[in-house]
Amino acid sequence: MLANQQQSELAVSDMQHRFAKLISIGTVEEVDYDLARVKVRIGEWLTAKLPWLTNQAAQDMTWQAPEVGEQVLVLSPSGDMAQGIVLGSLYANGHEQPHFKMNHVVDATSTGGALVQALSAIAPESREHVHRAHYQDGAIVQYDRENHAYDIFVPQTDPLAKINIYSGGDINVECHNDTNITIGNNATVEVGGAAQVDVTGTADVTVGDNVSVSGGANIDIVASGALNLTGDSVSVTSTGSNVEVLAAATLKLNGAHISAQE
C-alpha cells in the first residue's frame, strides 16, 4: 500500500513538473541561422536549440528570425523542453522604444517630411487599424486600413539605402488620382523597346539645366494643335540628308536677316 502511495505521489509530482514546463516565457540567448533554431534562457535554465514558429515552411516559405535578447513564448509538448517550440515574441517595456508607442521614426535626413510625420503621429485610438513592421535601421512598412494608406519608408542611413522591384514579366501601375514623383538627384529611364506617353490634358516639362533627346533611329514630334520651339538660339541640323519644312497654309520666316546658300 505504501509503495502505491509513493508511486502516486511521484506521478503527481511528475505531472506538476511537466505542467510547470508546458508554457514558459524566456529570452533568446543564441540564434543558429543555418538550422533555424534558437536557445532560450528561462530563468537559470538554457534550453537546447529549438525551432521557432513561422507562417509557411514548405514550397512557400517565410523567414523572420528571432533576435538575441528578444522575449519569447516557449511551448513544450508533454512538458519536455527538448521538444520545445518557440511560438512567438512578446512586447517588452525593457526596450528603448516599445513598439506600442508608435514613435519609431528617427531620421534626421527626413525631418519634417509628410510621411515621417504621418508614421510618427498615430493616435492611440487609431492603432487598432494599423499593421506595421518596423526594422532596426528605422525602416517601416505599414498599412492603415482606416485611412486606406500603404506606406513604405526606408531611411537614408547610408548611400546604400534603396528599394528594388524586379519582375520577370510585365509591371502594371494604375492610378485613378494624382501622382507625384519627387527625385532629389539624377533619374535614368531605360526602355529596350518602344515607349509611349499619352497625356489627355496639359503636360509641362521644366528643366533647370540642359535637356538632351537622342534616338538611334527616328524621333517624331507631333502636335494636334500648335507646336512652339522657343529659345535664345534655335538650331536645326541634318547631318545625313535634307531638312524639310511643310506647311498646309502660309509658311512665315521672320528674322532680322534671312539668307540661303548653296
Side-chain angles (χ1 to χ4, degrees), residues 133-220:
H134 168 247
Y135 300 91
Q136 188 178 27
D137 65 348
I140 289 179
V141 177
Q142 173 177 298
Y143 183 70
D144 185 340
R145 70 186 185 197
E146 184 178 45
N147 295 310
H148 316 294
Y150 186 78
D151 299 308
I152 300 175
F153 173 75
V154 179
Q156 191 176 351
T157 52
D158 58 56
L160 299 179
K162 63 181 66 175
I163 296 175
N164 299 314
I165 299 175
Y166 172 79
S167 172
D170 298 338
I171 295 179
N172 301 302
V173 179
E174 184 174 343
C175 176
H176 291 270
N177 209 329
D178 296 338
T179 300
N180 301 300
I181 300 174
T182 302
I183 300 173
N185 208 332
N186 300 326
T188 301
V189 178
E190 297 181 7
V191 181
Q196 180 177 335
V197 178
D198 295 326
V199 179
T200 58
T202 302
D204 296 319
V205 179
T206 303
V207 180
D209 209 331
N210 299 327
V211 176
S212 177
V213 179
S214 61
N218 299 329
I219 296 179
D220 297 322

Side-chain angles (χ1 to χ4, degrees), residues 17-234:
H17 182 72
R18 289 177 179 272
F19 271 125
K21 291 185 175 181
L22 189 63
I23 298 178
S24 306
I25 297 175
T27 303
V28 176
E29 188 157 310
E30 181 182 322
V31 183
D32 187 328
Y33 297 103
D34 289 330
L35 297 178
R37 297 288 191 274
V38 294
K39 289 186 178 181
V40 180
R41 174 73 62 181
I42 303 174
E44 297 181 356
W45 174 264
L46 183 63
T47 68
K49 291 184 178 181
L50 306 177
W52 66 80
L53 202 65
T54 187
N55 291 332
Q56 290 179 291
Q59 283 77 18
D60 294 334
M61 186 175 295
T62 58
W63 173 265
Q64 187 169 12
E67 298 179 355
V68 172
E70 191 167 0
Q71 195 173 61
V72 294
L73 189 68
V74 180
L75 173 66
S76 303
S78 301
D80 183 4
M81 283 195 174
Q83 303 180 51
I85 301 170
V86 177
L87 296 181
S89 302
L90 304 174
Y91 293 123
N93 294 337
H95 293 290
E96 293 181 1
Q97 290 184 317
H99 195 286
F100 58 79
K101 287 190 176 179
M102 306 292 274
N103 62 349
H104 302 297
V105 180
V106 181
D107 177 39
T109 63
S110 301
T111 300
L115 177 57
V116 176
Q117 291 179 358
L119 294 178
S120 301
I122 299 177
E125 61 270 16
S126 298
R127 292 174 192 171
E128 67 173 293
H129 306 292
V130 173
H131 179 265
R132 166 184 285 189
H134 168 247
Y135 300 91
Q136 188 178 27
D137 65 348
I140 289 179
V141 177
Q142 173 177 298
Y143 183 70
D144 185 340
R145 70 186 185 197
E146 184 178 45
N147 295 310
H148 316 294
Y150 186 78
D151 299 308
I152 300 175
F153 173 75
V154 179
Q156 191 176 351
T157 52
D158 58 56
L160 299 179
K162 63 181 66 175
I163 296 175
N164 299 314
I165 299 175
Y166 172 79
S167 172
D170 298 338
I171 295 179
N172 301 302
V173 179
E174 184 174 343
C175 176
H176 291 270
N177 209 329
D178 296 338
T179 300
N180 301 300
I181 300 174
T182 302
I183 300 173
N185 208 332
N186 300 326
T188 301
V189 178
E190 297 181 7
V191 181
Q196 180 177 335
V197 178
D198 295 326
V199 179
T200 58
T202 302
D204 296 319
V205 179
T206 303
V207 180
D209 209 331
N210 299 327
V211 176
S212 177
V213 179
S214 61
N218 299 329
I219 296 179
D220 297 322
I221 301 175
V222 179
S224 58
L227 176 62
N228 301 307
L229 298 177
T230 304
D232 182 65
S233 177
V234 178

